[in-house]
Amino acid sequence: LLGGIYGLATIGFSMVWGVMGVINLAHGSYIMIGAYVAYIGFDRYGIDPFLSIPLAMAILFVIGYAVQRLMVNRILKTGLLLSLALTFGLNLILVDLFVLMFTSDLRSVKAGYASNALELGSVLVPNVRLAACGLALLLAWGFHEFLARTRAGQAILASALDRETAQLLGIKPLTVYALTAGAGAALAGAAGSLASMLFPVSPLLGNNFISAVFVVTVLGGIGSLGGAILAGFIYGLIQAFASTY
């Protein structure tokens, strides 16, 4: 069931890599921020972590859009190395910023229903994991529909296929890149909110996720939405069997 969250966490990273050729090393921090949004909402205001997902997505969309528009777009033509250095530095800043604000202590988000489970014979399936996986798949399907049925989504796909031709057809690539980065960050924020119910929340949460995101991206195919979801489940199964055996 963790595979659904891994797939959702990977979609934005994979799309940014596929559309712009940028490996965003700050993507893990976006996941971490989404987890803290859920934690703060639950701990301070009593908001159910599932209900905090739209807020996390909105906040992360603004952050992702602004970072792409104000920073990454300015160095796209310089090559891959500078984008790696920029996003790596941004990740360090975000992690240290959250260490200063929340310390490195591990936090948890445990709703009253966290211990409930579905009995399938001799197997107990935690309801939180089942709901998180289902919601992750629903969000992934929603993003697929956005790409397939909206003008903005078509512009993203066109820019990924042929940047020069898309520009000749009136598509503004820098705006499309910012939109892609914002949407990817929003999905990362949703994945972080879901992860907050399953993993300890700390400033280093994103660093633990980014390695999984890399593996799932390469396994599923760079820029492939369906591949990210399928590879996420494969990675989750491998991780589960490796832990067992």
Side-chain angles (χ1 to χ4, degrees):
L1 292 176
L2 291 177
I5 296 179
Y6 287 134
L8 181 66
T10 300
I11 290 173
F13 182 85
S14 180
M15 288 299 298
V16 167
W17 192 347
V19 173
M20 291 175 270
V22 171
I23 301 175
N24 182 11
L25 297 181
H27 190 79
S29 290
Y30 294 164
I31 297 172
M32 176 266 294
I33 294 172
Y36 269 102
V37 170
Y39 166 74
I40 293 170
F42 178 77
D43 184 66
R44 298 184 183 178
Y45 304 104
I47 301 174
D48 186 282
F50 283 106
L51 297 180
S52 66
I53 291 175
L55 177 61
M57 293 182 71
I59 292 172
L60 267 299
F61 178 86
V62 173
I63 293 174
Y65 188 96
V67 167
Q68 182 69 34
R69 190 84 184 192
L70 300 177
M71 289 189 279
V72 181
N73 275 352
R74 298 176 182 273
I75 51 92
L76 280 177
K77 295 182 179 180
T78 61
L80 182 63
L81 184 60
L82 190 56
S83 66
L84 284 171
L86 173 64
T87 56
F88 178 72
L90 179 61
N91 180 68
L92 291 178
I93 291 171
L94 290 173
V95 169
D96 286 347
L97 180 63
F98 273 75
V99 169
L100 289 173
M101 291 192 298
F102 297 99
T103 75
S104 296
D105 294 345
L106 298 178
R107 320 277 177 160
S108 63
V109 178
K110 293 197 178 295
Y113 49 79
S115 60
N116 297 341
L118 177 67
E119 292 188 31
L120 298 175
S122 60
V123 178
L124 292 177
V125 181
N127 288 345
V128 169
R129 292 196 178 206
L130 188 62
C133 180
L135 189 55
L137 291 176
L138 184 63
L139 288 169
W141 175 80
F143 186 63
H144 172 268
E145 290 297 296
F146 165 75
L147 292 176
R149 299 182 182 277
T150 66
R151 291 179 64 86
Q154 291 290 298
I156 291 173
L157 293 176
S159 299
L161 288 172
D162 193 324
R163 189 179 309 174
E164 288 77 16
T165 302
Q167 192 168 1
L168 289 173
L169 293 173
I171 296 173
K172 298 179 180 179
L174 295 182
T175 301
V176 169
Y177 296 160
L179 179 62
T180 304
L187 292 175
S193 293
L194 293 173
S196 70
M197 294 178 275
L198 306 175
F199 301 98
V201 179
S202 79
L204 297 179
L205 174 66
N207 291 346
N208 297 329
F209 257 91
I210 197 67
S211 58
V213 166
F214 258 111
V215 172
V216 173
T217 299
V218 175
L219 185 62
I222 297 170
S224 172
L225 192 154
I229 295 298
L230 178 60
F233 279 113
I234 293 173
Y235 183 87
L237 286 170
I238 292 172
Q239 186 183 59
F241 279 109
S243 300
T244 302
Y245 295 106

